[in-house]
Amino acid sequence: MVQFSTVRLDASFAALSDPTRRGILEQLGSGDASITELAEKFHMTLTGMKKHVGVLERAGLVATEKVGRVRTCRLGLRGLEEEAAWIEARRQIWKARFEALDRVVEALKRKEKGDG
């Protein structure tokens, strides 16, 4: 079975749990942006945006660079492959359970039809 980094998954899913942070990632998918531009786009204070970007940065989903007084944000170098693999493994478990349930239901239907 594939081993997953609990710390990394926790950080990623915590970062992705907030709609503003997901929106920031969507925005940065179109191109780099400064903290100020992101704050304006999401109608929030610079302090609030810095906190959101910090969470994304700690998770490795965003990278920032300060040039002069401007801090520019871009998507981080790592993707979400490990997170996607974790989700896929859980999806396969649920799929197998639902398929087993379907077989039980079909067997019960056949039995009921034979009895009735």
Side-chain angles (χ1 to χ4, degrees):
M1 184 168 176
V2 177
Q3 296 296 315
F4 298 101
S5 167
T6 303
V7 173
R8 180 172 167 171
L9 288 175
D10 289 350
S12 296
F13 288 128
L16 295 171
S17 69
D18 184 86
T20 299
R21 291 192 286 269
R22 291 191 304 272
I24 292 167
L25 292 175
E26 289 285 329
Q27 184 68 32
L28 294 178
S30 300
D32 299 354
S34 70
I35 297 272
T36 302
E37 291 167 337
L38 291 170
E40 289 172 358
K41 169 89 174 149
F42 290 91
H43 308 290
M44 60 180 9
T45 65
L46 287 174
T47 302
M49 182 53 66
K50 285 179 190 176
K51 288 180 181 180
H52 281 297
V53 168
V55 171
L56 291 166
E57 197 168 21
R58 284 188 296 280
L61 301 174
V62 167
T64 63
E65 179 183 13
K66 188 170 184 179
V67 178
R69 294 177 53 179
V70 177
R71 181 166 296 279
T72 302
C73 305
R74 66 181 177 285
L75 291 178
L77 295 178
R78 77 169 189 85
L80 295 170
E81 290 82 14
E82 187 174 337
E83 293 79 359
W86 185 90
I87 291 169
E88 178 60 21
R90 300 306 80 48
R91 192 187 71 74
Q92 289 295 330
I93 292 168
W94 282 101
K95 180 180 177 188
R97 288 181 178 185
F98 283 124
E99 287 172 353
L101 179 60
D102 286 343
R103 288 190 296 274
V104 169
V105 169
E106 287 302 316
L108 288 172
K109 285 181 181 178
R110 283 192 303 275
K111 185 178 187 300
E112 185 178 85
K113 203 175 204 180
D115 292 345

